[in-house]
Amino acid sequence: MNEVNIDTVIDFLKSLQDNICDALEVADGSGQFVEDNWQRAEGGGGRTRVLTNGTVIEQGGVNFSRVSGNKLPPSATAHRPELAGRSWQACGVSLVIHPKNPHIPTSHANVRFFVAEKEGEEPVWWFGGGFDLTPFYPVEEDVVHWHQTAFDLCKPFGDNVYAEHKKWCDDYFYLKHRNETRGVGGLFFDDLNQWDFTKCFDYIKSVGQGFIDAYVPIINKRKNTPFTDHQRQFQLYRRGRYVEFNLVFDRGTLFGLQSGGRTESILMSMPPLARWEYNYQPQAHSPEALLYERYLTPQNWLSVQ
């Protein structure tokens, strides 16, 4: 089946936003997401949900948006010039969770759908998304669990899907000016339309559910781990890398700003607190040094791929 049905995608994305928020509220134990509905003058709108100052989550946002327009921004047509002159619709769920406890990683996930149309021609469509993990004090079993969940959800869609989308994630979430990955990776993909519409949509559904299955168990394992002010300060320092990536490299941020999206919703991915320190160097043989030495370089985290 290759018939595009954006309304079905919209219904799924809204239910995914609900399910993720529900799961995170249970894991937090006290915090609740506050919803902010918004409209975009050029077409479309969305609902932004933010949880602040929870028991576990310092700040987290889970966004749903559906936006449209008659002309694509430069960030979209730069590598797809054939889309110039088409009307378009884009919808998706995107989230970033910044926990208080440095032993719980920051996490990001995104699933999205894009279609561009022109009278008399077939629509051009694709899916994109993925999820990635940014630990400060990594526990290897958590990283293995994260990647095992990714591997398992990819398996029904092809033997090479996990390896391809893991590598894409490692390559995309890479800070060139720091010569390090943003974290331990996961899955990332864009321009997904090599299967028919139904199979591509099924994959997106698996990725959305997979984020919950991958992340919530890590929260539950680590949320009661004691931490020191030294560890908190290192967490805030490493959050600065998140800011650097989102403002310098992230295509989604650029697309949102260039297409006239809601700035508060686009930048909800930023941490509530972060710090920078000139020429920071971790102490040799410290847990902080281990992060740099082992976890900020692409690794084979599974015995089978």
Side-chain angles (χ1 to χ4, degrees):
M1 176 181 175
N2 211 35
E3 182 181 345
V4 176
N5 188 337
I6 192 169
D7 291 331
T8 302
V9 178
I10 294 292
D11 290 343
F12 163 71
L13 292 172
K14 288 181 175 179
S15 67
L16 177 64
Q17 184 190 35
D18 292 341
N19 293 339
I20 290 174
C21 290
D22 290 346
L24 291 173
E25 286 181 352
V26 171
D28 183 273
S30 68
Q32 292 188 324
F33 284 92
V34 176
E35 182 171 292
D36 188 6
N37 286 281
W38 53 274
Q39 298 296 317
R40 177 174 171 273
E42 295 84 353
R47 55 188 199 188
T48 296
R49 293 178 181 171
V50 176
L51 189 160
T52 57
N53 295 317
T55 302
V56 175
I57 298 172
E58 187 168 7
Q59 182 168 294
V62 184
N63 286 349
F64 163 77
S65 64
R66 178 185 185 176
V67 296
S68 60
N70 294 319
K71 183 180 178 181
L72 284 160
S75 62
T77 57
H79 71 296
R80 297 290 292 267
E82 73 275 15
L83 298 180
R86 287 176 174 255
S87 62
W88 59 275
Q89 293 187 72
C91 55
V93 167
S94 62
L95 66 94
V96 176
I97 306 301
H98 294 288
K100 291 179 179 178
N101 192 320
H103 296 286
I104 305 174
T106 287
S107 68
H108 159 261
N110 174 272
V111 288
R112 57 190 180 273
F113 178 67
F114 179 92
V115 59
E117 298 176 291
K118 189 174 184 179
E119 188 175 353
E121 298 185 20
E122 287 292 314
V124 177
W125 61 268
W126 64 81
F127 290 90
F131 51 68
D132 65 287
L133 194 69
T134 305
F136 310 99
Y137 291 92
V139 178
E140 187 154 334
E141 72 176 70
D142 294 346
V143 178
V144 171
H145 160 76
W146 179 264
H147 279 273
Q148 187 66 56
T149 304
F151 178 89
D152 291 344
L153 74 87
C154 289
K155 186 67 174 175
F157 297 91
D159 292 340
N160 297 323
V161 173
Y162 168 76
E164 291 172 358
H165 291 177
K166 175 192 180 297
K167 184 179 187 305
W168 203 339
C169 187
D170 291 336
D171 292 344
Y172 181 75
F173 292 107
Y174 184 77
L175 286 82
K176 302 176 182 65
H177 61 291
R178 297 287 191 179
N179 193 31
E180 63 188 42
T181 57
R182 189 169 78 174
V184 296
L187 301 173
F188 180 83
F189 54 95
D190 207 356
D191 301 327
L192 180 72
N193 62 4
Q194 71 265 33
W195 307 316
D196 65 26
F197 177 84
T198 299
K199 184 173 180 180
C200 291
F201 187 24
D202 286 343
Y203 182 58
I204 286 290
K205 294 176 183 176
S206 295
V207 171
Q209 178 59 46
F211 168 77
I212 300 173
D213 297 339
Y215 190 50
V216 170
I218 297 175
I219 295 178
N220 290 334
K221 281 185 178 180
R222 308 302 162 197
K223 63 185 178 182
N224 295 319
T225 304
F227 61 92
T228 65
D229 182 64
H230 171 80
Q231 291 169 328
R232 170 65 169 171
Q233 292 304 313
F234 181 68
Q235 176 197 44
L236 298 184
Y237 172 74
R238 290 298 308 174
R239 280 181 177 177
R241 298 291 206 271
Y242 220 88
V243 175
E244 291 176 21
F245 181 87
N246 280 16
L247 294 182
V248 176
F249 298 114
D250 189 72
R251 292 206 307 260
T253 300
L254 186 61
F255 176 85
L257 294 174
Q258 288 185 350
S259 62
R262 182 174 184 264
T263 301
E264 286 298 313
S265 298
I266 296 164
L267 297 182
M268 67 87 199
S269 61
M270 298 301 177
L273 294 171
R275 57 181 286 269
W276 281 261
E277 180 177 330
Y278 177 73
N279 198 28
Y280 170 82
Q281 300 294 326
Q283 184 178 349
H285 311 298
S286 66
E288 294 80 15
L290 181 63
L291 173 70
Y292 288 84
E293 292 164 3
R294 172 149 175 74
Y295 291 93
L296 299 183
T297 301
Q299 304 280 333
N300 176 0
W301 296 107
L302 304 177
S303 58
V304 291
Q305 285 199 27

